[in-house]
Amino acid sequence: MAQQGAAPPTVYDVASAAGVSIATVSRVLRTPDAVREGTRDRVQAAIRSLGYVPSGNARALAGKRTGVVGLLLPGFDVVPDERPDLVTDGGVRVVDDRRHVTQPFSSNLYFDEVLRGAEVEAWQRGLALMVAAGRGPSRDVVVNDVAGRVDGLAVLAQTVPDELLEHVARRIPVVILAGDRRSHGFDSVRVDNAGGMRTLASHVIGRLGIRSLAYLAGPIDSPDDRERASGFREALADHRVDPASVRTVHGDFGRARARELAAELLDGVTVPRAIVCSNDQSALGVLDAAAARGVRVPEDLVVTGFDGIDAGRFSTPRLTTVHQPMGELGRAAVRAIVDRLERREGPPRAVRLPVEVLLRESCPPSL
């Protein structure tokens, strides 16, 4: 984090270090693709070296806080309109939506809960919440822009690389959501992913006696997924199940991709008796695939998820899951920012929230 009392670098310092004009620095910050690569690289190197963070309007008064905290969530790629049979009637589109079952933005259900919690906590503390999403070439611009407008920033773990966060943390507190980067100097807020998955998988293996398993994992760059996979492996070891006997497939935490992967598992030569999923949206995709094939859940197939989103309470059958306090995750992130603003010194702090296993019809207490 930045040393207190040191004068923050200005855009003039960046321009001087990079050997360019102030206007060029501004273009790199706002429209990097419009600047030649060599010039852009020099400016970005100067920004990182100096620890420069662009100033927002609310930071115009030196030394005063903005009263705003930031929340950075993953951006979502533009998804083409896959809905078939599009016609028009008087200028109004008419769409045959009977086959449109994909849900490209389904992972938002988790983020919605986190966002709601952060909003409530910020409001109760008299703060405003700025929410941003960025991925790909625009990520650096988005992060720097938000960082210049807020007093502190909460970031979902896999959204931004360490070097960019370290740059931002020179000026404002940074809190990592759903990951632990204390080794990089960041405060963190997460849930007991490993413990929750270990407990749920132990119920499937130990209590229900199921040994024919498949594990539907999430993205390989997700800290949540790595911790849940670790808990699953611990459950296998606890009950002496050979990991080589368990087929593991990687999805993207989305329902549509999970539906495709589950179809492959259920249409294979050896069909698992249970599919343990790394999140609820994936588990709902498995339920879709099972229903399409007349596979009964839980009589023929046990299905479990992780998160505890509302959709799992209304699925058919209702989804067994590990419920994590998603709203509290957002609230705890805002509290962590405020705590760090009040106590800037000291080692990185980590908060780990508890989870609970909710047994429902897709994986009941007994079969």
Side-chain angles (χ1 to χ4, degrees):
M1 295 184 180
Q3 294 181 353
Q4 299 303 301
T10 68
V11 67
Y12 298 97
D13 297 322
V14 174
S16 176
V20 299
S21 67
I22 297 171
T24 299
V25 175
S26 178
R27 284 196 297 273
V28 170
L29 291 171
R30 293 295 179 182
T31 55
D33 291 340
V35 182
R36 286 183 298 180
E37 182 178 1
T39 302
R40 183 175 67 241
D41 290 345
R42 290 205 315 276
V43 172
Q44 291 176 339
I47 288 172
R48 290 192 296 269
S49 175
L50 294 171
Y52 171 72
V53 174
S55 296
N57 293 334
R59 285 192 180 274
L61 297 178
K64 293 192 176 182
R65 294 182 183 176
T66 67
V68 182
V69 292
L71 177 62
L72 187 67
L73 300 175
F76 298 94
D77 295 332
V78 175
V79 178
D81 190 349
E82 299 173 349
R83 292 175 295 185
D85 305 327
L86 179 66
V87 298
T88 60
D89 184 7
V92 177
R93 301 199 314 171
V94 180
V95 179
D96 182 352
D97 203 44
R98 291 173 295 176
R99 291 171 289 167
H100 185 234
V101 294
T102 59
Q103 298 182 0
F105 302 112
S106 59
S107 57
N108 279 359
L109 296 174
Y110 167 82
F111 300 130
D112 286 348
E113 295 293 329
V114 175
L115 173 57
R116 186 175 295 112
E119 285 178 326
V120 169
E121 187 68 26
W123 176 76
Q124 290 184 346
R125 291 175 176 268
L127 302 170
L129 180 69
M130 176 181 289
V131 182
R135 176 175 287 176
S138 66
R139 181 181 56 200
D140 290 27
V141 175
V142 171
V143 173
N144 277 316
D145 185 54
V146 173
R149 299 170 184 267
V150 300
D151 295 322
L153 185 63
V155 182
L156 197 75
Q158 73 266 37
T159 308
V160 182
D162 290 333
E163 59 270 18
L164 183 54
L165 290 181
E166 289 166 356
H167 160 64
V168 171
R170 292 182 179 186
R171 292 297 167 208
I172 60 174
V174 172
V175 175
I176 303 299
L177 278 165
D180 187 354
R181 293 192 194 174
R182 282 175 293 175
S183 61
H184 293 272
F186 303 121
D187 296 333
S188 64
V189 179
R190 57 195 178 116
V191 303
D192 188 5
N193 286 298
M197 182 60 80
R198 182 178 185 177
T199 300
L200 177 56
S202 291
H203 172 75
V204 174
I205 301 168
R207 182 62 182 268
L208 302 186
I210 296 176
R211 294 293 190 275
S212 174
L213 302 161
Y215 185 69
L216 204 168
I220 59 176
D221 65 344
S222 166
D224 277 342
D225 184 69
R226 287 195 293 269
E227 292 178 358
R228 293 171 193 177
S230 175
F232 181 74
R233 290 192 297 270
E234 289 173 355
L236 295 178
D238 292 341
H239 297 279
R240 297 181 175 83
V241 176
D242 182 3
S245 69
V246 178
R247 183 174 177 185
T248 298
V249 292
H250 278 275
D252 59 5
F253 278 158
R255 187 168 182 169
R257 179 55 179 157
R259 188 184 302 115
E260 297 171 353
L261 294 171
E264 296 174 5
L265 291 171
L266 297 177
D267 293 340
V269 176
T270 303
V271 178
R273 180 66 180 86
I275 300 179
V276 177
C277 302
S278 189
N279 76 323
D280 283 351
Q281 283 294 316
S282 295
L284 293 174
V286 174
L287 292 181
D288 292 340
R293 286 158 178 75
V295 176
R296 300 172 302 165
V297 177
E299 292 85 357
D300 304 323
L301 177 70
V302 162
V303 180
T304 68
F306 198 116
D307 280 337
I309 61 175
D310 280 346
R313 295 194 295 120
F314 302 107
S315 60
T316 304
R318 297 195 312 148
L319 181 64
T320 286
T321 187
V322 178
H323 177 266
Q324 63 164 310
M326 293 169 284
E328 180 58 24
L329 196 66
R331 298 193 66 159
V334 173
R335 288 197 297 268
I337 290 174
V338 173
D339 289 346
R340 183 56 76 179
L341 286 169
E342 295 174 351
R343 297 181 297 154
R344 292 300 294 265
E345 303 303 323
R349 305 157 194 161
V351 174
R352 189 172 71 172
L353 302 174
V355 298
E356 60 181 351
V357 174
L358 303 179
L359 298 179
R360 299 186 182 131
E361 286 78 3
S362 75
C363 175
S366 60
L367 291 173

